[in-house]
Amino acid sequence: MFKVSIKGVLAAPDGRVVLLQNDRDEWELPGGQIELGESPAQCLSREIQEELRLQVEVKQPLDAYLFEVTPGLYVFIVTYECTLIGRFDPTASREHKHIGLFPADCLPENLPVGYRASIPSAIRGSKNSFQSAASLTAGKAQR
């Protein structure tokens, strides 16, 4: 039997993707293990509140796959598109080293392939929420 982890693709107000750096120095999507009696949406809302102190609306599922966290340790991952509700003022919990904001087309190398694959699906689902590195650079040049 595998543990189940529910992860969310979330855009900051400027369109960058919110990622968290874990204790293995990998970047990951926010979220975590589902608890008995929770729906995936309840799990992800709770986890993002705990990890980032943010409120989100959990939208459509994006992907599901088996992920090898460390050699021989597997977790079943389900990713969802999320939308920010309210103010964006994230605070990292003790579970993670850093919060990172990345353009969708300029993700860190140490982001596992499954998480990386879910981000374009969320972008297609929320065409106006996410921005590329080129559009962020262009926006800065215009200011």
Side-chain angles (χ1 to χ4, degrees):
M1 184 76 85
F2 303 108
K3 291 182 179 181
V4 176
S5 187
I6 310 297
K7 298 288 189 168
V9 179
L10 175 65
D14 67 2
R16 292 180 292 172
V17 178
V18 178
L19 298 175
L20 297 166
Q21 189 175 40
N22 63 30
D23 60 355
R24 296 181 309 279
D25 288 323
E26 292 176 336
W27 290 97
E28 64 183 5
L29 296 171
Q33 287 187 28
I34 194 166
E35 294 180 357
L36 188 62
E38 278 185 319
S39 70
Q42 289 169 330
C43 169
L44 191 50
S45 293
R46 175 185 53 77
E47 285 286 343
I48 290 176
Q49 172 61 36
E50 290 173 3
E51 293 176 349
L52 294 165
R53 304 289 182 252
L54 296 175
Q55 300 292 320
V56 297
E57 177 184 356
V58 179
K59 298 204 165 207
Q60 65 183 359
L62 300 169
D63 201 1
Y65 56 93
L66 198 57
F67 175 61
E68 188 173 19
V69 179
T70 58
L73 176 63
Y74 293 88
V75 174
F76 186 74
I77 305 282
V78 183
T79 59
Y80 285 80
E81 178 185 346
C82 294
T83 302
L84 180 67
I85 298 173
R87 189 168 172 218
F88 185 76
D89 188 18
T91 303
S93 71
R94 294 181 184 175
E95 293 179 53
H96 295 94
K97 293 180 175 183
H98 301 287
I99 299 170
L101 301 174
F102 297 90
D105 63 354
C106 193
L107 298 170
E109 288 185 27
N110 55 343
L111 176 67
V113 68
Y115 298 148
R116 185 180 300 278
S118 292
I119 292 167
S121 297
I123 292 168
R124 284 190 298 275
S126 298
K127 293 178 186 171
N128 297 323
S129 297
F130 294 85
Q131 291 185 3
S132 69
S135 66
L136 285 172
T137 303
K140 287 180 183 174
Q142 293 174 353
R143 289 184 189 166

